[in-house]
Amino acid sequence: MNELLEQIRSNPLSIEFIANPSEDLQIEAIKLDYRAIQFIKNPSYKVQLEAIKVNHLAIKYIEEPLQKVQEKLVKENPNAIYYINNPSEKTQVLALL
């Protein structure tokens, strides 16, 4: 694990080449570079949430962001709707409020 952690710390985007990285390793990569989310298959709610906390633009790198993550983001920043891939109708309405 320490070897993988060192690899992520030196290059967060190298998560792309790690088979089945742990959630902690995914979060570490995202904290260092939010764009790492694009290389994580089916990121969990916790990982998606961490990514948008680091930078709202992270949402554009999530192929299918969870509804709760979409909602949280547009409540904080309605303009972020432009970066969500296929936002739900509920998310669109929240962005207008």
Side-chain angles (χ1 to χ4, degrees), residues 29-96:
I30 288 164
K31 284 181 177 179
L32 296 169
D33 188 333
Y34 70 90
R35 297 171 303 160
I37 190 88
Q38 69 188 308
F39 301 118
I40 299 171
K41 294 179 182 169
N42 302 313
S44 68
Y45 171 73
K46 185 176 177 182
V47 171
Q48 289 185 30
L49 195 59
E50 187 62 40
I52 65 165
K53 281 182 188 175
V54 172
N55 190 314
H56 287 168
L57 292 177
I59 197 81
K60 74 180 183 178
Y61 295 106
I62 303 172
E63 195 171 316
E64 294 182 30
L66 296 171
Q67 180 63 39
K68 285 183 181 179
V69 174
Q70 291 181 41
E71 290 174 18
K72 179 166 180 46
L73 183 58
V74 297
K75 284 178 184 175
E76 292 174 10
N77 179 0
N79 290 326
I81 189 79
Y82 298 110
Y83 301 106
I84 300 173
N85 295 321
N86 301 313
S88 70
E89 187 175 324
K90 184 175 181 182
T91 301
Q92 292 175 42
V93 170
L94 281 173
L96 297 173

Side-chain angles (χ1 to χ4, degrees), residues 1-53:
M1 178 69 171
N2 288 335
E3 188 176 303
L4 292 177
L5 187 56
E6 288 306 313
Q7 177 183 336
I8 291 300
R9 286 183 176 156
S10 67
N11 180 6
L13 300 180
S14 70
I15 194 137
E16 174 181 16
F17 306 108
I18 299 173
N20 303 313
S22 69
E23 189 173 66
D24 288 340
L25 202 57
Q26 293 173 27
I27 290 172
E28 183 67 24
I30 288 164
K31 284 181 177 179
L32 296 169
D33 188 333
Y34 70 90
R35 297 171 303 160
I37 190 88
Q38 69 188 308
F39 301 118
I40 299 171
K41 294 179 182 169
N42 302 313
S44 68
Y45 171 73
K46 185 176 177 182
V47 171
Q48 289 185 30
L49 195 59
E50 187 62 40
I52 65 165
K53 281 182 188 175

